[in-house]
Amino acid sequence: MAVGSLAVCVGAAHALQDPTRPPGTQATVAKPAPERALALDSILFSKDRRVAVIEGEALREGQGVDNVRVIRIFADRVLVTDNGRERVLYLERLPQVRGTQ
């Protein structure tokens, strides 16, 4: 009998809510937004100029559009922040074309 009443008390203790917590905040956990697909269309990389074309927009280092800001442009990739998160965009590899003889 004592064991049965102890199990009921333990179960009731788990059901209690924190009296200092505002009501309705138990299940409100923010989920991170899924990463969206960003297309790196091309890179212009020279000693005088660096430009990345992202989603059809030509951007230099420090410029941004639609919550995407270019941090650094390399010859083969671009470092950006997307809604505050750092990402690296790579150029899509072109298929290799073989010549016939």
Side-chain angles (χ1 to χ4, degrees), residues 20-77:
T20 61
R21 176 175 276 175
T25 60
Q26 297 89 329
T28 56
V29 176
K31 294 181 182 178
E35 248 185 27
R36 61 182 167 167
L38 289 174
L40 176 59
D41 301 322
S42 64
I43 296 174
L44 174 63
F45 187 86
S46 69
K47 66 177 184 172
D48 300 329
R49 204 163 57 151
R50 294 179 184 178
V51 178
V53 180
I54 301 171
E55 297 290 326
E57 295 284 334
L59 302 171
R60 293 175 181 246
E61 292 176 349
Q63 292 181 325
V65 64
D66 194 26
N67 292 326
V68 175
R69 181 159 306 282
V70 176
I71 297 173
R72 183 99 166 112
I73 300 173
F74 300 93
D76 62 340
R77 66 192 183 282

